[in-house]
Structures are given as C-alpha cells and as structure tokens.
Amino acid sequence: MPDSRALRRKVAIVGAAETDTVGYLPNHSTLQLHAESAFNALADAGLTLDDVDGIATAGVSPAQLTEYLGIMPRYLDGTSVGGCSFLIHVSHAVAAIAAGYADVVLVTHGESGRSRVGVGGFGGGASTPGGQFEAPFGVFGPPSMFSVPIVHYMKRYGLTEEQLAAVSVSTRQWASMNPRALMRDPITIADVLNSRLIAWPLHLLNCCLVTDGGGALVLVSEERAKDFPKPPVWILGRGESVQHTNISQMWDYSEWTAAAKITGPEAFRMADLDHSAIDHLMLYDAFSHTPIYGLEALGFVGAGEAGPWFEEMRGAPGGALPVNTNGGGLSYTHTGMYGMFAIQEAVRQLRGEAAAQINDVETSLVHGPGGWFSATSTLILGNQ
Amino acid sequence: MNPQKPLPQATPETQEYWDGLQRGELRIQRCRSCNRHYFYPRPFCPHPGCHSRDVEWTTVSGKGKLHSYVIAHRAHPAFAAPYVIAVVALDEGPKMMTNILIDDPRPETLPADAPVEIVYETVNEKVTLPKFRLV
Ligand SMILES: [Zn+2]
C-alpha cells in the first residue's frame, strides 16, 4: 500500500513572495495580482516563467491564469474551495512532483478583495441548497455565516466574549511588529468589545480585514531543492478534507471535525512529529473564533481550552507557542482567500526573514478553512 | 430600487418541502433504513454509514431548540437590523437555518437551547418560509 510518509521531505518550497504591497491596490486587476506574485516568487527562486511546468490556483481558473501568463504547463490544479485552497495546492504538488507530473510547480493567489477590480460573481442561484435553505433568512457574507456555530460552542464550553476578543488582541500585538500590516496600533479587550457589532457575538475587531493582494510559491523536488538562492522549506506533512458548503449543514458546532479527525492526524502522521515538535503556528483567522476551533481540533489543547489559552496570551509575543506572527487575517491582510499569506509567513519564519522573527524555528504548522469550516487543510513545514 | 429579499426556488427533490410549508405543514424526510430524519431534502439518506435510498416524507412537529445563532447588525440590504439568523435543532433531530421572530433581540433573551416552535410566514402564492419563535 502506498503511504504518504514516503513523501515526507521529498518536495520543498524554494520560492515564495507576495505582491510588492498588500492592502489597497485599486490599480491592480485580480489577474495582475496573480502575475505580480508569480514574478516575485520566481525571482525569489532565481527562475522564470519558462521554467514552470505545473501551475495551481484558485479564485481564477487555471485556464484564465495560463492564458494571462502565457504558459502551457503539463500539470494543473484548479482546486478552489476557499481560503485554504493554496494549502491544498501545496499538498497536491508534493504528490505531483514525486510522481513526475511536473518539475516546477507555481502556486498563485491574487484577489482584489477590497477594490473588486476584475472580480467574478459570488454565491449560487435561488435553486441551490444555499439559495433555498439559507439565503432567505438574510445571511450576508462570511460574518453572518462563519459565526453561526459560536453561540453553541459558548454554551457548551463557557467561551466568553472577552476570550474571543483576546485572539484579536494577541494577533494585533504581532501586527504591531510588522511594518507591512494594515492595522498596527495596539488594541485592548475593551477596544474589541466596544467596536461596532457585526453579528453578535462578533464585533468589528473580531473580523478579518478586507484587502487587495497576492502571493505565490515555487515548489521543486528534493533533488533540485539545494540549487536555489534561498534555503529550502520542506513539506513534512499534509492533510485535506471538505464537508459542507452551507453552515447549517456543518456536522458539529462544538468542534472542527474535519481537522480533528482527518487533516491534523494525517499531517502529523506523515511528518512523523508530535505536537511538542511544532515551534510556530499559523491558524487562519477569518474571525476570532477560527483559531480557537483550530487549536483544539489540531490537539494542541483539549476541548474547551482554547479560549482560556488565548486569554492567557500564550500565542502572543513572549508566549509559549507563537500564533499568527504576521498579524494574521485580523490585522495583517485578508484578501478573501487568506491561506496563501499564512503559508508565506511560515516560509519567512523558517527562512529567518520574518518581520517579527522568532528564535530557533525549525517547524511551522499552517492550518486553515475554506468557506466557513467547509474545506480544511493542514501543512507541516520544516527547514531541517 | 428597493432591494429584494432572496427567495428560494424549489427543485424537484425539494418541491414537497415547499408545498408542505404552503399548507402549514413541516414536511421533511426520514430514512427507513436507519430510522433517522434528515434535512435538507434529497432522495437518499445523508447520514454517514447509511446513505440508503429507502426514504420517505414525514410531517414533523415544528418544535425544537435554539441550537445556535447570530444577531445580525451588519444587515442584508433587504433586512432591518438587528435580526436573528438561527439554526434550530428539530425535536426529530435535523438542524435547519431560520430567523427567530423576536422584537429587540438581545443575547440575554435568546439563551442557547431555548425551546422554539415554527411560525409559517407566507411570502407569496409560491413561498412560505419556516420561521421560529421562542415558546
Ligand atoms: Zn439512513
């Protein structure tokens, strides 16, 4: 039987970069953000588009991207399941490169989330399950969908609004150390609780930013990985799953089942590591509760323990396990599908080039949702 | 132009559900293999480990519990904020999204797991929506 453990440390990220700037980019179309990211990541690896023979992207189709870039790859991945799609692209690229489907895989993200330049439609029609069983009740984008499970979790585990706010405060502390972060002024628990209500229990400062930007990655095999300007960042473990698209159909509101049962265990098993070996966490923070669900589902704390964990600032600067050191989707940037930026920060930390660099990082775990806990992916990266 | 509230469009597999609401009945499906109800309508049982196609329509009580919710303040343009977007757990098991009909919704007056019951809200000659209120 094939075993994913055979692919541990067989593929590396050798190029990684974001758009020149992130935030408000009204003069960039969506595809232009992809291209700028791609050129920057390829330059980081000392490569050109002519070296690329595999591509992966979400939001736009592989057909749109190849046409725009002017390339004809022999491997493509158009998995598009929301923000964690790029984690899944990395996961698939490991297998594709190991199988010889491609030598150099380029993963791109670009999204004009704020300026909406060259953006396609969103959502389904009135006869889809969402159109019939959710839209009539006034759900209005992620803040009123992703947030629906929280009250159930609060009743079950005693999670408080202060603990939810603590996630935003902790993340802002990291952002204040990152000059590229959009929101850098320190905030308090009271600031979060006094900010405008969006969808109780979520206030404005419990919600991610809406920005423009992009990022790209270049992946190659172990044999080639030493020949690049930057040290390789190895893919040690991966996991992916998907369960629902409508939040009312999520199996269990008290836990992130797909992460707990599938993506976390698969990633740790493939990486042959336990939790104590993880030095750094990127827990995709679309909203304050997303890292709370993630920390528990991945087994770093027990059920119901993540709220107090964040309240004790254990993921903040000086804490035991740094979480979202770029400032996260809450304070750094969030284009709509933020997963690419979570990977970028893990790569920077493992290369020793992060704005808020932590000491002695050898492993980083990147984890995130697509949609509203709909799809899920986990990557474990390392520099040894 | 006033923004319109999104309205559902039935498909063949969901028509009985929408027709039932129009008559003032909550019609959902039950699996004859594992004896569990499920929602939303489809011609097979979605429960993991079952997936039987031996299913039937049943009329259920319309009673349940307030499983989880948000109080939406950043409103859909056709809705007047604040309003409650909720998921109720029916006594028969399935969960469904709805609105809780309540004036001045506040967390204190909406305890999780509070008992709720259905209110049939007729929109037009084709659409009646299942809303709920606290019992
Ligand atoms: Zn069944």
Side-chain angles (χ1 to χ4, degrees):
Chain A
M1 277 282 283
D3 188 325
S4 66
R5 285 179 293 188
L7 298 185
R8 177 186 188 277
R9 205 181 172 280
K10 290 297 183 193
V11 169
I13 296 167
V14 295
E18 300 178 358
T19 40
D20 296 343
T21 56
V22 293
Y24 305 131
L25 304 169
N27 297 320
H28 284 62
S29 74
T30 301
L31 281 164
Q32 194 180 351
L33 294 165
H34 281 261
E36 186 173 302
S37 305
F39 285 117
N40 288 347
L42 288 165
D44 186 61
L47 296 176
T48 72
L49 271 175
D50 293 325
D51 298 307
V52 173
D53 63 352
I55 59 116
T57 194
V60 303
S61 74
Q64 288 174 288
L65 183 69
T66 50
E67 175 185 292
Y68 189 80
L69 293 177
I71 58 174
M72 188 185 291
R74 63 190 183 102
Y75 164 79
L76 65 95
D77 181 4
T79 305
S80 190
V81 288
C84 71
S85 299
F86 315 99
L87 282 71
I88 294 174
H89 296 157
V90 169
S91 163
H92 294 177
V94 170
I97 290 169
Y101 287 4
D103 296 324
V104 177
V105 174
L106 172 71
V107 183
T108 69
H109 165 65
E111 197 164 2
S112 184
R114 171 165 288 265
S115 305
R116 315 298 296 168
V117 184
V119 179
F122 177 76
S127 65
T128 63
Q132 293 187 67
F133 305 113
E134 293 206 344
F137 306 107
V139 291
F140 189 50
S144 60
M145 297 161 85
F146 216 142
S147 49
V148 167
I150 303 173
V151 166
H152 177 79
Y153 180 102
M154 292 170 103
K155 168 88 189 281
R156 173 100 180 247
Y157 293 121
L159 176 76
T160 65
E161 289 182 70
E162 287 76 13
Q163 289 166 350
L164 276 172
V167 175
S168 305
V169 172
S170 167
T171 311
R172 183 62 65 88
Q173 288 182 14
W174 288 114
S176 69
M177 301 160 70
N178 182 357
R180 275 170 68 92
L182 187 65
M183 297 294 179
R184 292 188 300 274
D185 295 338
I187 53 172
T188 64
I189 302 274
D191 291 335
V192 180
L193 297 180
N194 291 328
S195 66
R196 183 161 59 89
L197 270 168
I198 300 296
W200 184 88
L202 295 182
H203 298 256
L204 181 66
L205 293 179
N206 294 120
C207 301
C208 66
L209 307 169
V210 181
T211 64
D212 307 324
L217 300 165
V218 180
L219 292 97
V220 302
S221 69
E222 178 186 20
E223 291 73 27
R224 296 192 58 178
K226 284 106 183 166
D227 307 331
F228 291 89
K230 300 278 180 70
V233 170
W234 301 102
I235 291 93
L236 303 179
R238 48 63 67 194
E240 68 194 57
S241 183
V242 67
Q243 187 261 307
H244 62 267
T245 181
N246 293 298
I247 193 65
S248 60
Q249 299 292 315
M250 184 175 172
W251 286 8
D252 185 346
Y253 282 177
S254 65
E255 64 166 30
W256 192 343
T257 309
K261 288 205 186 331
I262 298 177
T263 70
E266 286 208 10
F268 277 109
R269 178 179 174 279
M270 176 170 162
D272 194 24
L273 293 173
D274 60 27
H275 293 77
S276 64
I278 303 299
D279 301 320
H280 173 247
L281 278 180
M282 291 304 292
L283 298 176
Y284 189 139
D285 52 340
F287 299 94
S288 291
H289 66 299
T290 328
I292 288 175
Y293 277 71
L295 192 74
E296 290 181 9
L298 293 167
F300 285 95
V301 296
E305 294 176 357
W309 192 92
F310 279 103
E311 193 169 36
E312 290 159 11
M313 292 292 144
R314 297 203 203 183
L321 182 55
V323 177
N324 296 343
T325 49
N326 59 349
L330 290 169
S331 290
Y332 172 59
T333 209
H334 192 294
T335 50
M337 293 191 287
Y338 164 80
M340 173 58 80
F341 299 97
I343 304 170
Q344 294 286 340
E345 173 66 7
V347 170
R348 288 192 293 263
Q349 288 286 351
L350 289 164
R351 287 173 165 182
E353 56 187 34
Q357 182 65 43
I358 54 177
N359 297 325
D360 307 320
V361 194
E362 294 186 357
T363 56
S364 176
L365 185 148
V366 186
H367 176 82
W372 6 96
F373 297 119
S374 313
T376 308
S377 185
T378 308
L379 295 177
I380 298 177
L381 308 177
N383 59 12
Q384 296 300 301
Chain B
M1 194 181 87
N2 284 332
Q4 301 288 309
K5 288 190 176 182
L7 290 179
Q9 186 181 331
T11 55
E13 65 199 319
T14 66
Q15 191 69 53
E16 173 64 16
Y17 168 77
W18 292 110
D19 289 350
L21 291 172
Q22 202 71 3
R23 300 190 300 266
E25 292 176 27
L26 182 56
R27 300 276 287 163
I28 68 171
Q29 285 160 304
R30 194 182 73 91
C31 172
R32 280 197 281 242
S33 292
C34 69
N35 293 314
R36 285 177 289 184
H37 291 81
Y38 63 89
F39 185 80
Y40 47 86
R42 68 206 91 169
F44 57 91
C45 170
H47 289 296
C50 179
H51 293 118
S52 168
R53 290 194 232 182
D54 185 13
V55 300
E56 64 185 358
W57 285 96
T58 62
T59 302
V60 293
S61 64
K63 295 185 188 309
K65 287 191 164 67
L66 178 57
H67 188 65
S68 203
Y69 67 91
V70 295
I71 303 173
H73 289 264
R74 177 179 171 273
H76 184 289
F79 284 69
Y83 58 101
V84 182
I85 300 169
V87 167
V88 299
L90 298 175
D91 286 351
E92 292 82 7
K95 296 190 275 280
M96 59 192 294
M97 187 173 277
T98 187
N99 298 127
I100 303 298
L101 303 178
I102 185 172
D103 294 328
D104 185 25
R106 283 172 289 122
E108 312 85 82
T109 54
L110 288 160
D113 293 334
V116 293
E117 65 182 11
I118 196 167
V119 177
Y120 298 95
E121 190 179 277
T122 300
V123 178
N124 60 35
E125 69 284 354
K126 277 192 184 153
V127 175
T128 294
L129 292 174
K131 303 290 180 81
F132 282 76
R133 67 181 168 214
L134 298 174
V135 178

